[in-house]
Amino acid sequence: MKFYFFIPSLRRVSGGVIVLYRLAYFLKQAGYEVYAVHRGARGWRPWWAKDILSVVWDRVKLHKKDFWIVPEGWFNALLPGLQSNAKTIVYCQNWAYLFSALPSNCKWQDLDVDFWAVSQPVAWFIEHTLGIKTPILRPGIDLNLFSFNFKKIKKK
């Protein structure tokens, strides 16, 4: 079982790409084989994700036991997962993009995909528009990178 995360090629780094890398990072830390999939040359990655292997789109070889994870809004990127019968998952971070790239002659319910939601409101939207209960996978916060100073903040 391997996890492949499709990482969209964007002009600027987005929070959504960082969230995809966080999920990949946690799976890698749990001992799974994890790949970041890019179209063309290797794309940007955060420094803390250096151990996540990269593979170019054309060289991906998915098997039935593998997971193919695609962010919402990248409908065409579902194809490798659907063609290989891999477990194909749409990771929805923004409900507004869920239907943005879906062709008019296609419905999500007709595709062999599962959904993960980034938050309860996104899971609610998926359930109320598609009738599908969706697990919530929140991006984690690395407490080695971010911390809160618990000293009382003085008011001026």
Side-chain angles (χ1 to χ4, degrees), residues 52-117:
I52 296 171
L53 302 170
S54 286
V55 64
V56 179
W57 172 275
D58 297 347
R59 295 199 175 133
V60 172
K61 302 281 191 242
L62 296 170
H63 298 93
K64 191 172 185 168
K65 291 184 179 182
D66 294 336
F67 286 75
W68 177 248
I69 300 120
V70 176
E72 84 291 349
W74 296 90
F75 178 79
N76 291 336
L78 296 171
L79 196 56
L82 295 173
Q83 286 178 331
S84 66
N85 291 318
K87 182 79 165 170
T88 303
I89 297 169
V90 175
Y91 183 56
C92 189
Q93 298 181 56
N94 186 335
W95 62 269
Y97 295 130
L98 186 59
F99 294 99
S100 66
L102 193 66
S104 59
N105 62 344
C106 184
K107 294 188 292 189
W108 281 117
Q109 294 91 331
D110 295 337
L111 299 173
D112 189 16
V113 299
D114 289 317
F115 293 89
W116 291 344

Side-chain angles (χ1 to χ4, degrees), residues 29-53:
Q29 294 302 306
Y32 292 99
E33 193 170 342
V34 181
Y35 295 88
V37 179
H38 301 273
R39 285 197 169 145
R42 182 179 154 202
W44 175 90
R45 76 173 54 225
W47 63 267
W48 43 263
K50 65 183 181 314
D51 293 337
I52 296 171
L53 302 170

Side-chain angles (χ1 to χ4, degrees), residues 139-155:
I141 297 173
D142 187 339
L143 296 178
N144 292 317
L145 297 175
F146 301 98
S147 63
F148 181 76
N149 185 348
F150 288 99
K151 292 180 185 175
K152 187 171 181 176
I153 300 170
K154 293 182 182 180
K155 295 182 181 180

